[in-house]
Amino acid sequence: DAGVTQSPTHLIKTRGQHVTLRCSPISGHKSVSWYQQVLGQGPQFIFQYYEKEERGRGNFPDRFSARQFPNYSSELNVNALLLGDSALYLCASSPRTGPWWGYTFGSGTRLTVV
Amino acid sequence: AQSVTQLGSHVSVSEGALVLLRCNYSSSVPPYLFWYVQYPNQGLQLLLKYTSAATLVKGINGFEAEFKKSETSFHLTKPSAHMSDAAEYFCAVSPEPSGSRLTFGEGTQLTVNP
């Protein structure tokens, strides 16, 4: 059974550019959450989507946006990239809303902004 | 807002020794607490979660954690460290089972010496 798939695994972008990160949840999971993990820190919550609706938003600027598709896959978009956006972006899927029901994390997308 | 504090960003033990990783939470209501492990270049894996059914929670790979309300703590222990336990460990809190987010601590890097 496939786990949570994130693409790409690594990418390098220039300041001011736009980036799209993708996540495919475990089959049957309807909730996707996004976290940002800066080197040396714990992950920070960005968004949660459940049944294609936003169910939670963390303390991130409007440059960050996301959406969930009918097949429950998700995209995280970041506009006007800053050096400080360099981080590991983690996607977590769960069968229902909330981490209690069992988050499964992907391996992440390592974003480097230069 | 709920938060967790992990005491000690780095912990080093010898193989076969007791592992103790400390986590204290800040919450005005009974929290839902989690421990995750992150191996290099991987996502996070759930070790255990506090259900409120029992104060001593057993997880995977021989780890367990004890919830102590009087000390607002949820420390992670393992009686005998193995080389494969070397990883980063994160304590996390959620305000409710259906809450949309986890708030993570800063993490503790565990080194196991032969």
Side-chain angles (χ1 to χ4, degrees):
Chain A
D1 194 15
V4 178
T5 304
Q6 292 188 243
S7 63
T9 55
H10 298 80
L11 75 164
I12 300 174
K13 290 286 189 178
T14 303
R15 278 178 298 175
Q17 284 188 318
H18 164 91
V19 69
T20 297
L21 311 181
R22 296 177 174 84
C23 173
S24 294
I26 289 175
S27 177
H29 283 195
K30 299 181 178 180
S31 176
V32 170
S33 299
W34 289 95
Y35 287 79
Q36 180 197 63
Q37 186 177 18
V38 173
L39 193 62
Q41 297 182 17
Q44 286 202 309
F45 173 75
I46 311 175
F47 287 108
Q48 188 201 45
Y49 278 78
Y50 178 70
E51 289 280 19
K52 302 179 288 296
E53 291 187 2
E54 182 182 301
R55 292 298 186 96
R57 174 184 286 253
N59 188 24
F60 280 81
D62 292 343
R63 299 185 295 106
F64 288 76
S65 63
R67 55 180 175 168
Q68 187 176 35
F69 299 99
N71 66 354
Y72 303 111
S73 67
S74 178
E75 282 183 355
L76 175 69
N77 294 283
V78 187
N79 292 323
L81 285 167
L82 303 174
L83 295 179
D85 295 330
S86 296
L88 179 68
Y89 288 83
L90 294 165
C91 171
S93 81
S94 59
R96 297 171 62 175
T97 182
W100 183 254
W101 305 106
Y103 268 178
T104 301
F105 281 87
S107 296
T109 293
R110 174 76 61 187
L111 172 65
T112 302
V113 182
V114 297
Chain B
Q2 296 195 339
S3 65
V4 289
T5 302
Q6 293 185 240
L7 301 176
S9 58
H10 290 84
V11 170
S12 182
V13 300
S14 298
E15 191 173 18
L18 171 71
V19 175
L20 171 61
L21 305 182
R22 300 176 187 273
C23 173
N24 287 88
Y25 67 90
S26 170
S27 173
S28 58
V29 297
Y32 295 88
L33 294 160
F34 305 78
W35 275 100
Y36 281 84
V37 61
Q38 187 176 33
Y39 297 100
N41 300 316
Q42 294 188 26
L44 286 80
Q45 180 183 10
L46 179 66
L47 280 175
L48 49 82
K49 61 183 179 182
Y50 170 61
T51 67
S52 78
T55 57
L56 184 63
V57 182
K58 294 188 182 298
I60 62 172
N61 301 339
F63 285 94
E64 61 184 33
E66 186 172 8
F67 176 76
K68 292 187 177 180
K69 185 177 179 180
S70 61
E71 299 177 7
T72 62
S73 69
F74 190 57
H75 301 332
L76 182 71
T77 60
K78 182 174 181 178
S80 177
H82 192 273
M83 297 295 289
S84 61
D85 295 326
E88 186 144 27
Y89 292 80
F90 293 94
C91 181
V93 64
S94 177
E96 56 189 60
S98 60
S100 62
R101 69 190 68 191
L102 279 174
T103 300
F104 286 88
E106 294 291 301
T108 297
Q109 182 68 47
L110 175 66
T111 300
V112 182
N113 302 305

